[in-house]
Amino acid sequence: MRIPDNYNNNNPYRLIFGFHWLNGTANDVDTGGSSGFTWSYYGLRQLANNTAIFVAPQGLNNGWANSGGEDLTFVDDMLRLIEADLCVDTTQRFAGGFSYGGGMSYALACARATVFRAVAVYSGAQLSGCSGGTQPIAYIGLHGLRDNVLNISLGRSLRDTFVRNNGCTPQNPPEPAQGSLTHVVTAYSGCRSGYPVVWAAFDGGHTPGPVDGSTADDGARTWTKAVVWNFFSQFQSTNDTTPPTSPGTPAVSNVTATSATLTWTASTDQGGSGLAGYNVYRVTGTTDPLLGQSTTNSITLTGLTADTEYQVYVRARDGAGNLSANSAFVTFTTTSTGGDTTPPTAPGGLAASGTTAGGTNLSWAASTDDVGVAGYDILRAPGATGGTFAQVGTSATTSYSDTGLTPSTTYRYQVRARDAAGNLSPVSDTVQVTTSGTTTGTCSATPTVQTQWGTGYVIQPLTITNTSTSTITNWTVTFTLPAGHTLTGSWNATVTTSGQTVTAKSVSFNGTLAPGATTSFGFQASRPGGNTALPSGYTCTSA
């Protein structure tokens, strides 16, 4: 058993079982063998980063025959023993194993679907029985095309049990060509909410640690550990009562008569629901009012009173609504107006340029002020008419880039200047923009033809790149199939078709991308013999 280095008995942890293969041992799973820590518990221990408890059981005769259900009873007894002593999130139990260990994980999926949240079966077969086998459970199967110990057809059969149980749309998911030394991951569509099924086929043999482009079995370099960890970690706790850690002491900058900027060291959250953001409060001696909220570890407070002392603190909040302890207090005083009651002049010559599906660039002529211009507020309203202008950003210069816009949508903009005393200028003239129907400034979609033949082809990878300067949380790719072509399968995306137009949306484990980060999906299509055309018009939009 491996307990997190920073174990806290008040924090519920994921519990992950790693089952060994025939003639393997619990020690093999725990140590990671020749690959060491990077492959401990099939690589999940490193990726969990002290957020889970790991258990490697030892099977009788170095296997998992489960005679008379004895291995199921063994697991039941371990759960009682562990959970009587350690703080386990009972909605976050997982199991996985290779070969015979995969068979044991499948047996748990069949018989303990209401006990375990999800299982991962590496190159498995029905070796340990399947008592029950009618209830849904989240399931990921991984299997090699050239497995000469347990044929891939055996793994497909296990997978299809939970395709049925989970209500997924049946399909024959695409698999890589032999000799390609690649892998294809397919997320089934139509599954019951909370019960996904994923199938990962690879061009390789009987191994849990294949490496793309190689015949090696290497736990340090394999792609399987990230795929399985992403599958497991998508499930959030329903019992999260653990608050985030307290934020660091706020630092104050850019104090004016009406505003101030705060930054602090970020909190962490290990309760399972994830860090959601921060609340900023003012100390008043009675009920502390909320001054603002932020999803990052900084905020610019506005609407403050000139020449006034503020004592503030920050609390982090998680996805379950738990609030951290208060940060240390910080005190600052807004500047005095100094008798300045004269506002700046209105900015002039507001213009938009470089408008894409997801953003536009604004520029204007500088305002003047009898003391000095402190900055500009950018206001935006929806549509060509009507709607209310609301502040969407600030700038210390005479330009601003507005991102995260909706494709094929009209917006209106105005800009106003402010001085250090908080005086606001009249608004500028209005400029109107309409975003385009494709996104080039937020994300991009680049297809690669993996293989093709007379009557079909596979596009893999179709690479999605976040080309913006902020994190995106989902993406949508559209493209057009040539006349007569039909989509026959897809993976790592939720795909729909309307005529020849295909729409692919991100799934739970690949929608969030940091700036510059990439992910991919793929699809297979059929076409009339002799037709060598390929899909075109790839566009990407994101949020």
Side-chain angles (χ1 to χ4, degrees):
M1 179 184 292
R2 294 286 178 172
I3 299 171
D5 295 339
N6 54 355
Y7 176 77
N8 178 347
N9 204 45
N10 294 314
N11 177 61
Y13 291 88
R14 289 187 179 97
L15 178 62
I16 301 177
F17 283 81
F19 291 93
H20 62 75
W21 47 98
L22 179 64
N23 295 325
T25 67
N27 186 63
D28 293 332
V29 173
D30 178 76
T31 63
S34 60
S35 295
F37 177 67
T38 60
W39 190 231
S40 177
Y41 294 88
Y42 301 101
L44 303 186
R45 182 174 161 218
Q46 179 187 37
L47 295 177
N49 191 26
N50 286 305
T51 63
I53 298 168
F54 286 90
V55 180
Q58 178 63 48
L60 294 171
N61 302 311
N62 290 63
W64 302 102
N66 194 29
S67 301
E70 61 186 355
D71 292 331
L72 291 172
T73 300
F74 179 33
V75 173
D76 293 340
D77 290 345
M78 282 189 288
L79 286 173
R80 279 192 291 270
L81 180 66
I82 293 166
E83 292 173 10
D85 188 53
L86 298 175
C87 190
V88 173
D89 184 341
T90 57
T91 70
Q92 296 282 286
R93 304 184 185 109
F94 302 90
F98 166 60
S99 194
Y100 220 151
M104 184 61 201
S105 301
Y106 176 74
L108 288 172
C110 291
R112 300 293 185 268
T114 60
V115 175
F116 285 83
R117 185 65 184 87
V119 299
V121 176
Y122 301 79
S123 304
Q126 188 169 322
L127 304 172
S128 308
C130 179
S131 176
T134 60
Q135 294 178 295
I137 185 173
Y139 184 94
I140 179 171
L142 308 94
H143 218 112
L145 295 176
R146 294 180 281 118
D147 192 328
N148 59 3
V149 177
L150 298 173
N151 190 274
I152 190 172
S153 62
L154 300 174
R156 294 173 185 141
S157 177
L158 304 190
R159 170 202 72 199
D160 290 345
T161 297
F162 293 99
V163 170
R164 291 189 298 271
N165 292 355
N166 296 7
C168 308
T169 303
Q171 64 166 295
N172 290 318
E175 296 173 349
Q178 290 202 21
S180 65
L181 296 177
T182 60
H183 70 281
V184 174
V185 181
T186 302
Y188 276 74
S189 61
C191 304
R192 288 176 52 182
S193 178
Y195 296 98
V197 172
V198 169
W199 176 245
F202 58 91
D203 179 34
H206 191 64
T207 171
V211 177
D212 279 352
S214 170
T215 58
D217 176 4
D218 188 344
R221 296 187 292 142
T222 184
W223 50 267
T224 62
K225 54 188 177 182
V227 169
V228 173
W229 176 249
N230 287 341
F231 186 77
F232 281 178
S233 62
Q234 70 180 300
F235 304 110
Q236 298 301 312
S237 171
T238 56
N239 292 332
D240 182 8
T241 59
T242 302
T245 60
S246 177
T249 303
V252 185
S253 61
N254 301 324
V255 179
T256 71
T258 59
S259 66
T261 298
L262 305 179
T263 58
W264 55 87
T265 302
S267 299
T268 59
D269 182 71
Q270 294 185 339
S273 59
L275 192 66
Y278 300 88
N279 296 349
V280 180
Y281 300 89
R282 182 183 183 186
V283 180
T284 62
T286 54
T287 302
D288 294 344
L290 180 68
L291 291 183
Q293 292 184 313
S294 175
T295 58
T296 67
N297 61 324
S298 67
I299 189 173
T300 297
L301 301 173
T302 58
L304 305 181
T305 303
D307 199 19
T308 302
E309 182 180 273
Y310 286 82
Q311 188 174 50
V312 301
Y313 60 91
V314 182
R315 299 181 72 181
R317 63 182 189 278
D318 64 19
N322 300 306
L323 289 174
S324 74
N326 301 345
S327 72
F329 293 173
V330 65
T331 302
F332 63 91
T333 300
T334 52
T335 60
S336 171
T337 62
D340 180 8
T341 59
T342 303
T345 61
L350 178 62
S353 63
T355 302
T356 67
T360 191
N361 299 317
L362 302 173
S363 61
W364 56 89
S367 299
T368 60
D369 184 73
D370 59 343
V371 175
V373 174
Y376 299 88
D377 299 333
I378 291 79
L379 312 177
R380 187 180 70 202
T385 60
T388 301
F389 281 92
Q391 184 172 326
V392 294
T394 62
S395 176
T397 67
T398 56
S399 64
Y400 180 79
S401 294
D402 194 21
T403 59
L405 304 182
T406 302
S408 303
T409 303
T410 298
Y411 299 91
R412 288 167 292 143
Y413 290 91
Q414 297 173 343
V415 177
R416 66 189 178 200
R418 49 186 161 75
D419 61 20
N423 298 306
L424 295 175
S425 77
V427 296
S428 68
D429 291 336
T430 301
V431 66
Q432 179 176 306
V433 302
T434 299
T435 54
S436 59
T438 60
T439 298
T440 57
T442 301
C443 64
S444 64
T446 305
T448 300
V449 179
Q450 182 187 82
T451 184
Q452 57 180 315
W453 55 98
T455 58
Y457 50 89
V458 172
I459 303 295
Q460 164 69 27
L462 205 165
T463 303
I464 312 303
T465 303
N466 178 4
T467 55
S468 71
T469 57
S470 59
T471 298
I472 62 176
T473 57
N474 61 71
W475 47 261
T476 299
V477 172
T478 60
F479 56 92
T480 302
L481 293 173
H485 291 218
T486 303
L487 198 73
T488 59
S490 62
W491 48 98
N492 291 354
T494 300
V495 176
T496 57
T497 59
S498 177
Q500 296 305 109
T501 300
V502 179
T503 301
K505 296 180 180 292
S506 56
V507 290
S508 59
F509 57 81
N510 65 6
T512 300
L513 294 176
T518 64
T519 188
S520 67
F521 72 97
F523 65 91
Q524 181 173 321
S526 64
R527 61 187 175 190
N531 184 331
T532 59
L534 292 169
S536 61
Y538 291 91
T539 63
C540 182
T541 58
S542 64

